[in-house]
Amino acid sequence: MPNEGTGFLPRILTIAKNAFREAVRDRILYNLIVFVLLITVSAIFLGELTAGQESRVIINLGMSAVLLFGAFIAIFVGVSLVWKEIEKKTVYSIFSKPVGRGEFIIGKYLGLCTTLFVNVVIMCLGVTLALAYVGGASKTASIWGAGFLIFLELTILTAVAILFSSFSTPALSALLTFFVFLIGHFSSSLLDLAKTIGSSSAIAVFTGIYYALPNLSNFSFILNAAHGDVPTVSFAGFATLYAIGFNAVLLAITVLIFSKRNFK
Amino acid sequence: MNYVIEIEGLSKEYEKGFLKKKRVLALDDLTLNVTGGQIFGFLGGNGAGKTTTIKTLMRLQFPTKGSARILGHDIADVQMHRRIGYCPENPYFYDYLTANELMSYFGELFGYDAATRTKKSDELLTAVGIVEKDRKRQLRKFSKGMLQRVGLAQSLINDPEIVFLDEPMSGLDPVGRREIRELIAGLRDKGTTVFMSTHILTDIEALCDEVAILRSGKLAAFGSLQELLGGEEASRNLEINVQSVSAEEIRERIEFIAGASITPRPHGATIHVLDESDIDAVLAVTRDAGGRLGSITPVKQSLEDLFVRD
């Protein structure tokens, strides 16, 4: 008989480990090669074009690429993460074992977050090396600070993608997640818009949207990092708590929806 | 009675169509109890509701009505799944994993340590006929039959008390079928209850102790094979093969025996009678015409007769 004392945590970690292995074997991390090429070429040529601004341009370009490559993975891998398991019927063997549906969702989510973490770390390392090449090593802390915030943003984007994919097709889920990504960066403007319109119903609607969608500007630090700023403890702390809270809510909704699904 | 599977009034209705207004009743008030330590055959044509029943027991689908218990626990109890195994129909696994990795992954979900996982994986993959060199290949390179074997192996990773096999012989060649049949029989010998759905009637006849037949989501027949096929009435019917005489030579006199019928066959004839007491009359007629007895066989209703009966 199996070990009766096994709790839910080891099962979640087992699923997460397998999800990470899936990402690696599906060559998700190959995007790093493109990134390394991009950052190397930038380091060599941009410095010559923008005399004195090398480090700022490298950070701007490099960290924007970290965000975009990460968002691409979070959206496109995230929306197919659970959907693929249902379509290929691999969930049949999983749920016949003592694995709860919540454990499965959280395990898959953590697996993709691990993939994104590795991706962000390697990319930040690439930007750090490129920065050192152009003599901007003093701004290294800015890169890692911005990288940390980008990773937090990607965890939210992953949770949004998984939430949509728990009840929708991958194509629609990807589209919706992309909209959340776009609107999320400008959601604070929604409150300004509501105030400009002035009507109480407009304020109610736009305030509702503002709180329903993640405010991704909490994680925007690329421009500051390019100027050599490092996120303060309070800024990073708030962003971390915000990400944990938002992810917890999104995952709870996803688990609720997924727990009621019939697998035909 | 000590039932290991108790199904009570289980129904499953699907919504179909774009607006989900059309309803299909896949399972209709199924009540079934299965005793432990046997191989239980679950029969039915395509769409009869076999897979729906198994998927519901495996909590892959939720019943519209009714309830079910396995080993005394409600099927919604996740921890009960520590004690059971399941091999889905046409199993499909993570194709980026090797057979060894898949077994290890599933073993880890049960909380086994690495050494135990390796040992169990080796034992089970050997038992289902996956040779050592194939165990290190990714499953995407496996044939349907090999995946079926891996499916069986993974369903036994936790030494289950009950194993649910949905069409376990699907995709296997005759040699493979025989090997898996022996494996399933071996499970029963060890005390494992096997709940097996299949279309292959010879497998059912060779393996199963009790059988349930589903028709349009309803239970059409249930009982031991002996009860279903070898009832008192059926066992009295006899088939008598006679040789060295043609059917035409003795037809008139045979048909004079109440309920008897005769069909010609090369170098002889086959005569069906309703009762053992008719044998002497048939033999007398045959000998008078210069023929001799070939064989006498009791005629039982075949599982196929039962399966196709409306």
Side-chain angles (χ1 to χ4, degrees), chain B residues 16-34:
Chain B
K16 273 194 157 184
F18 184 69
L19 296 172
K20 299 196 169 182
K21 287 200 166 173
K22 197 177 164 193
R23 290 180 173 272
V24 177
L25 194 59
L27 209 54
D28 188 1
D29 199 25
L30 177 70
T31 296
L32 187 68
N33 291 316
V34 179

Side-chain angles (χ1 to χ4, degrees), chain B residues 33-181:
Chain B
N33 291 316
V34 179
T35 48
Q38 63 160 323
I39 300 176
F40 187 87
F42 201 45
L43 276 85
N46 293 327
K50 305 186 300 293
T51 298
T52 301
T53 306
I54 295 180
K55 278 186 185 173
T56 307
L57 293 176
M58 293 301 106
R59 72 197 169 101
L60 296 168
Q61 296 187 346
F62 300 103
T64 315
K65 262 195 323 191
S67 64
R69 294 168 74 81
I70 299 175
L71 295 165
H73 296 267
D74 190 274
I75 48 171
D77 181 355
V78 176
Q79 292 310 309
M80 175 270 290
H81 288 256
R82 295 191 155 280
R83 299 165 65 190
I84 64 170
Y86 169 51
C87 176
E89 185 181 7
N90 299 324
Y92 189 91
F93 302 110
Y94 302 97
D95 56 11
Y96 53 88
L97 295 180
T98 65
N100 274 336
E101 286 170 340
L102 182 88
M103 295 294 285
S104 178
Y105 175 42
F106 287 155
E108 212 174 334
L109 290 175
F110 281 102
Y112 291 125
D113 59 39
T116 311
R117 294 201 301 268
T118 307
K119 185 171 166 278
K120 279 180 166 290
S121 172
D122 284 345
E123 281 172 8
L124 290 166
L125 291 174
T126 303
V128 297
I130 300 291
V131 296
E132 200 149 352
K133 73 174 170 62
D134 288 332
R135 295 176 202 171
K136 291 171 187 161
R137 287 169 61 204
Q138 286 189 328
L139 295 173
R140 70 180 87 217
K141 293 169 188 158
F142 273 34
S143 68
K144 195 180 169 203
M146 286 167 84
L147 281 176
Q148 190 71 44
R149 288 165 188 261
V150 174
L152 275 165
Q154 64 80 32
S155 70
L156 303 173
I157 189 83
N158 55 324
D159 300 320
E161 292 168 53
I162 307 175
V163 63
F164 293 84
L165 307 176
D166 197 354
E167 301 286 352
M169 310 294 183
S170 173
L172 295 173
D173 58 26
V175 177
R177 271 176 55 192
R178 197 175 65 183
E179 287 169 2
I180 298 305
R181 249 197 331 237

Side-chain angles (χ1 to χ4, degrees), chain A residues 1-7 10-11 13-15 17-19 21-22 25-26 85 88-101 103-104 108 258-264, chain B residues 12 14-15 55 58-63 78-79 81-86 88 91-98 101 105-106 108-112 117 138 140 154-155 157-159 161:
Chain A
M1 280 291 291
N3 177 11
E4 289 291 341
T6 309
R11 288 195 293 272
L13 293 178
T14 301
I15 293 166
K17 202 164 68 180
N18 194 52
R21 180 161 52 184
E22 178 180 3
R25 295 207 178 157
D26 280 349
E85 294 256 5
K88 292 193 168 183
K89 299 180 178 175
T90 42
V91 283
Y92 286 17
S93 306
I94 294 289
F95 291 133
S96 64
K97 299 184 168 49
V99 176
R101 294 198 181 184
E103 292 168 12
F104 177 74
K108 295 292 283 185
F258 194 66
S259 299
K260 295 185 186 307
R261 270 197 81 154
N262 282 299
F263 302 117
K264 289 179 185 170
Chain B
K12 179 67 188 173
Y14 292 114
E15 291 162 334
K55 278 186 185 173
M58 293 301 106
R59 72 197 169 101
L60 296 168
Q61 296 187 346
F62 300 103
V78 176
Q79 292 310 309
H81 288 256
R82 295 191 155 280
R83 299 165 65 190
I84 64 170
Y86 169 51
Y92 189 91
F93 302 110
Y94 302 97
D95 56 11
Y96 53 88
L97 295 180
T98 65
E101 286 170 340
Y105 175 42
F106 287 155
E108 212 174 334
L109 290 175
F110 281 102
Y112 291 125
R117 294 201 301 268
Q138 286 189 328
R140 70 180 87 217
Q154 64 80 32
S155 70
I157 189 83
N158 55 324
D159 300 320
E161 292 168 53

